[in-house]
Amino acid sequence: MNQTPGIRQDHKHESVLLEGAVDALVQRPDGLYLDGTFGRGGHSRAILDRLSDQGRLVAIDRDPDALAAAADIEDSRFSIARATFADLGEVARQQGVHGKLSGILLDVGVSSPQLDDASRGFSFMRDGPLDMRMDPDSGISAAQWIAETSEREMADVFKRLGEERFARRLARAVVTQRKEAPITRTVELAELLKTAHPAWEKGRHPATRAFQAIRIHLNDELGQLERALEAALEALAPDGRLVVISFHSLEDRLVKRFIRDKSRGDQHLPRHMPLREDQIRRDMAPVGKAIRPDDQETGFNVRARSAVMRVARKLGQES
């Protein structure tokens, strides 16, 4: 779909792993649930379809466009708060559901409508202001970061968060160019990175990793995810489900490690302390293996290709 720069339009959004995520999440139709990443509401609407009249869903998003989309849901079982998913514990307390949730869903990363809206500045494929903030009312824009960040820090972000092999070379090109004129547009930055990149990967734009790194850094996506996982464990009721869909290897590693560590129990006990297996406290148990979209889903939604879903259950006795 063609889009005029600066004019917002509605964007079709296909929720990834929709049925699988809701199947894994909703074990009790009368339960309390939290969607930590409302987006455009695909998962939330599917969850509501599974709930009984006694069920309830609390949603969270920091994007004002997401909150505007949520206004279309007229359902007494549904409420939404403007917050980051790292603050889900606080939201759950405000809603009176902390420690009582039957399930929490996190669909992390940037959403398709955010990528498709040129005015948000996430995509190198569409010309727009270089912004990339999930909450446009908070933090600094990508243009500001590009203008102010040292070459060394920029290279570190490109390498660490974008896994970009030529991070130093790309950072040097950006710093050299900004001395001539400010870099304020997405396509302008993309073309600069494209020219500076010495080894293009087949099927991947040479600016992909750097754009991804800037977005993750500006929105503190990995830090947000780490805090959200810990908060989710506390907010769940015993036997409650945590379902996380990630789209990046760094995110998935965090989720995998979190579930693994919480499933193993306390690893800091003295090595030779005599404990029976049933005396080791374990907070979570994985539910099945990692799930990826099938060929049918990736066929009609190319952005689903990198998705990974992991599910875990909180252990403990229900009160």
Side-chain angles (χ1 to χ4, degrees), residues 111-123:
S111 70
S112 293
Q114 288 171 327
L115 282 170
D116 292 338
D117 187 345
S119 70
R120 300 300 299 272
F122 285 103
S123 176

Side-chain angles (χ1 to χ4, degrees), residues 17-56:
L17 290 166
L18 180 64
E19 293 300 321
V22 178
D23 286 345
L25 184 75
V26 180
Q27 302 297 300
R28 295 176 48 186
D30 60 347
L32 305 172
Y33 295 89
L34 187 145
D35 182 353
T37 45
F38 180 81
R40 293 304 178 268
H43 287 114
S44 280
R45 290 179 174 87
I47 292 167
L48 288 168
D49 286 343
R50 302 284 186 93
L51 300 186
S52 69
D53 291 341
Q54 288 71 46
R56 184 179 169 195

Side-chain angles (χ1 to χ4, degrees), residues 239-291:
D239 210 38
R241 295 282 185 98
L242 173 64
V243 178
V244 186
I245 303 171
S246 57
F247 293 82
H248 187 278
S249 59
L250 295 177
E251 297 165 344
D252 184 52
R253 269 178 242 160
L254 274 179
V255 178
K256 182 179 180 179
R257 185 174 67 236
F258 176 80
I259 295 174
R260 180 199 65 200
D261 291 349
K262 297 302 179 182
S263 301
R264 286 180 176 176
D266 192 345
Q267 300 296 305
H268 302 291
L269 294 171
R271 194 179 212 177
H272 302 295
M273 180 176 284
L275 286 176
R276 298 192 311 269
E277 185 70 16
D278 61 357
Q279 291 178 308
I280 300 174
R281 175 181 168 178
R282 292 183 170 86
D283 295 318
M284 304 195 87
V287 177
K289 298 181 179 180
I291 298 172

Side-chain angles (χ1 to χ4, degrees), residues 156-175:
D156 175 68
V157 168
F158 289 171
K159 183 176 181 179
R160 181 168 46 86
L161 300 181
E163 299 177 307
E164 172 57 66
R165 290 172 53 205
F166 301 99
R168 292 177 62 185
R169 181 168 181 157
L170 298 188
R172 190 178 308 119
V174 171
V175 170

Side-chain angles (χ1 to χ4, degrees), residues 132-168:
M132 298 196 200
R133 289 173 294 175
M134 291 184 179
D135 180 352
D137 299 325
S138 178
I140 66 170
S141 69
Q144 289 174 277
W145 187 80
I146 285 291
E148 299 168 1
T149 302
S150 70
E151 180 179 328
R152 183 175 180 178
E153 181 184 347
M154 192 180 301
D156 175 68
V157 168
F158 289 171
K159 183 176 181 179
R160 181 168 46 86
L161 300 181
E163 299 177 307
E164 172 57 66
R165 290 172 53 205
F166 301 99
R168 292 177 62 185

Side-chain angles (χ1 to χ4, degrees), residues 82-97:
R82 184 175 184 180
T84 69
F85 58 63
D87 297 323
L88 69 86
E90 182 180 345
V91 172
R93 288 187 180 92
Q94 292 171 352
Q95 296 289 330
V97 297

